């Protein structure tokens, strides 16, 4: 019997591809005829070294990562990177610029302030982060050690569509909710980090892609587990890594390669987002909350005319098998997270449900 699955719009942890879950299920009791689960084998075994090696090579291929970058598998989520980034990169002048474009950007900035001098180069707090602020070079710090942005703002449904011109100052990006969703020129960045649980795999592993010249200059107070050099020198095997999460990420990378890579998934992602935004833009009762030019293709945020209707929508959608649509408490309303693993079919089901909801509830307005 086919196991019933819902349409999963969870913001993270989020949907995983069905085929990946099925493969993990098939291999759960005995990985590669070992008689053991991946969770039960040593991280020093040849089998696990093959898994982490292929995961690294696959990500390098998928993102076209240049040879002078290192791919690290770390723990602690993006939130730990909020501290690791300044601890590693405040190596010259102890100064950095941050664009505060959402709650996670704000948290990242607050961690950096513990270790150095932080300038807010731009902020969109004035309109509850519903847009990406314009960047004015005159407000940049000329001798900053790095410039931090949040590429996709998960809670508010906005994304950067162009990168700041920072000259020689490395751009550091939190790509937690958009990594592998669209083409990205890694050479434009000094460092990219992302928790896996939105667009890659389960929670527990965090990806760091760092230009090699930025490694090896951590502040003396940096814990060994937050020093990128520790991971570079040990191939991310200094201590026990999150083995099962890395294995699941590898299965996702393999599937994405089989689908045709990032350019293929980007096309599907753009189509999914356009289909949903097009419905919202032509609806009489649903309104998008992010400024059009800055809209995310991963997290689509929208509201109904009242909080009561928002709650009714989320309740009835959940009952209809469309889950995870309640907006973050800081933003309110609704949010449909349509990451790589969310099929077009789920977006169509959502739009059908929204049409029906509009017919049933629009008349009263
Ligand atoms: C989810 C998210 C985070 C927090 O990630 P954790 O792995 O839970 O620490 C940070 N930044 C962005 C952009 C996110 O989407």
């Amino acid at each position: 019997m086919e196991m019933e699955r819902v349409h999963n719009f969870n913001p993270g942890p989020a949907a995983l591809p069905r085929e990946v879950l099925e493969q993990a299920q098939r291999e759960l009791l005995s990985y590669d005829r070992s008689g053991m689960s991946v969770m039960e084998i040593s991280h020093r075994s040849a089998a696990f070294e093959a898994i982490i090696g292929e995961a690294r090579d696959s990500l390098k291929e998928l993102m076209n990562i240049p040879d002078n970058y290192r791919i690290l598998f770390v723990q602690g989520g993006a939130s730990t990177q909020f501290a690791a980034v300044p601890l590693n990169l405040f190596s010259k002048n102890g100064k950095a610029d941050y664009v505060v474009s959402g709650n996670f950007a704000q948290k990242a900035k607050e961690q950096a302030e513990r270790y150095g001098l932080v300038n807010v180069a731009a902020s969109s707090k004035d309109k509850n982060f519903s847009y990406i602020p314009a960047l004015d070079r005159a407000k940049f710090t000329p001798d900053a050690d790095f410039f931090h942005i949040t590429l996709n703002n998960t809670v508010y449904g906005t994304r950067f569509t162009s990168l700041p011109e920072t000259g020689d100052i490395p751009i550091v990006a939190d790509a937690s909710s958009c990594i592998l969703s669209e083409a990205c020129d890694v050479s434009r960045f000094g460092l990219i980090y992302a928790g896996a649980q939105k667009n890659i795999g389960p929670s527990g592993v965090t990806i760091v892609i760092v230009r090699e010249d930025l490694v090896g200059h951590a502040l003396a107070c940096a814990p060994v587990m937050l020093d990128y050099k520790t991971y570079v020198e040990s191939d991310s095997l200094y201590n026990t890594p999150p083995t099962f999460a890395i294995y699941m990420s590898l299965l996702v990378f393999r599937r994405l390669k089989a689908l045709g890579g990032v350019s293929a998934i980007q096309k599907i992602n753009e189509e999914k987002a356009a289909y949903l935004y097009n419905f919202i833009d032509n609806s009489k009762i649903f309104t998008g909350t992010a400024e059009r030019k800055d809209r995310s293709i991963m997290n689509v945020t929208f509201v109904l005319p009242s909080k009561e209707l928002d709650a009714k929508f989320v309740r009835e959608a959940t009952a209809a098998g469309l889950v995870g649509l309640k907006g973050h408490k800081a933003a309110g309303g609704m949010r449909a997270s349509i990451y790589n693993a969310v099929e077009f079919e789920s977006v169509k089901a959502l739009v059908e449900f929204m049409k029906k909801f509009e017919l049933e509830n629009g008349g009263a307005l």
Side-chain angles (χ1 to χ4, degrees):
M1 199 190 85
E2 278 272 293
M3 178 68 76
E4 196 68 39
R5 299 261 298 161
V6 295
H7 296 292
N8 185 351
F9 301 99
N10 275 325
L16 285 165
R18 183 186 182 107
E19 311 82 76
V20 164
L21 294 170
E22 284 171 344
Q23 182 172 350
Q25 185 179 45
R26 281 195 303 277
E27 295 180 337
L28 193 65
L29 294 184
S30 179
Y31 176 73
D32 200 19
R33 281 165 294 173
S34 65
M36 295 175 279
S37 162
V38 169
M39 286 179 277
E40 302 170 291
I41 63 175
S42 169
H43 60 296
R44 309 270 174 220
S45 64
F48 186 73
E49 283 192 357
I51 289 171
I52 196 170
E54 187 187 335
R56 194 183 292 114
D57 293 347
S58 301
L59 185 64
K60 182 170 172 170
E61 187 183 328
L62 282 164
M63 291 182 69
N64 205 6
I65 299 172
D67 289 339
N68 62 327
Y69 285 74
R70 296 283 166 260
I71 300 167
L72 319 178
F73 297 97
V74 307
Q75 300 198 55
S79 301
T80 298
Q81 292 310 305
F82 296 165
V85 164
L87 281 167
N88 281 273
L89 302 192
F90 271 153
S91 57
K92 293 184 182 124
N93 302 312
K95 296 182 193 174
D97 286 338
Y98 275 68
V99 178
V100 178
S101 56
N103 64 329
F104 290 121
Q106 172 74 27
K107 286 181 170 170
K109 179 202 87 138
E110 284 168 9
Q111 287 297 299
E113 281 169 341
R114 298 166 74 106
Y115 310 109
L117 215 62
V118 172
N119 167 51
V120 174
S123 166
S124 51
K125 200 167 182 192
D126 60 339
K127 292 185 188 164
N128 200 30
F129 302 119
S130 58
Y131 66 104
I132 297 290
L135 300 181
D136 173 5
R137 271 195 96 153
K139 300 220 172 79
F140 295 5
T141 306
D143 58 346
D145 289 338
F146 64 95
F147 191 104
H148 184 281
I149 61 171
T150 311
L151 269 183
N152 184 78
N153 296 281
T154 324
V155 171
Y156 306 92
T158 63
R159 65 161 171 169
F160 279 80
T161 49
S162 64
L163 294 178
E165 291 300 335
T166 60
D168 289 340
I169 296 169
I171 298 173
V172 173
D174 178 353
S176 293
S177 50
C178 61
I179 189 166
L180 293 171
S181 68
E182 59 181 325
C184 158
D185 179 358
V186 175
S187 72
R188 292 285 318 270
F189 298 88
L191 188 151
I192 297 170
Y193 63 91
Q197 70 272 22
K198 277 117 189 191
N199 228 4
I200 297 180
S203 59
V205 64
T206 305
I207 310 278
V208 176
I209 302 163
V210 58
R211 213 174 63 207
E212 60 191 4
D213 61 285
L214 298 174
V215 178
H217 316 287
L219 301 184
C221 68
V224 69
M225 284 298 292
L226 295 189
D227 186 341
Y228 297 136
K229 188 164 136 247
T230 305
Y231 296 82
V232 168
E233 289 180 344
S234 64
D235 286 333
S236 301
L237 290 168
Y238 172 79
N239 75 328
T240 318
T243 51
F244 195 72
I246 292 170
Y247 156 78
M248 290 292 288
S249 301
L250 167 61
L251 298 187
V252 171
F253 296 154
R254 279 189 192 153
R255 177 174 177 273
L256 187 50
K257 276 168 65 176
L259 276 176
V262 172
S263 60
I265 202 79
Q266 174 173 351
K267 190 162 168 285
I268 298 169
N269 286 336
E270 284 169 348
E271 285 168 5
K272 284 179 338 199
Y275 190 83
L276 183 48
Y277 282 126
N278 185 49
F279 171 76
I280 291 170
D281 291 343
N282 290 299
S283 163
K284 292 195 177 63
I285 66 169
F286 292 98
T287 312
T289 55
E291 223 167 82
R292 286 190 189 204
K293 66 174 177 43
D294 301 323
R295 281 170 166 177
S296 167
I297 61 168
M298 291 282 101
N299 309 98
V300 177
T301 51
F302 54 97
V303 290
L304 280 157
S306 71
K307 285 196 167 55
E308 290 70 33
L309 271 181
D310 288 348
K312 185 172 187 231
F313 176 83
V314 171
R315 202 168 53 238
E316 292 183 3
T318 308
L322 301 147
V323 310
L325 290 165
K326 191 175 192 300
H328 187 278
K329 61 182 187 305
M334 278 73 68
R335 166 179 52 179
S337 297
I338 50 174
Y339 300 121
N340 285 2
V342 177
E343 307 270 355
F344 207 136
E345 190 195 302
S346 291
V347 177
K348 283 193 177 143
L350 173 59
V351 168
E352 284 315 304
F353 181 81
M354 290 167 83
K355 275 185 193 158
K356 180 167 157 279
F357 191 88
E358 179 157 353
L359 273 179
E360 290 170 359
N361 297 273
L365 302 170

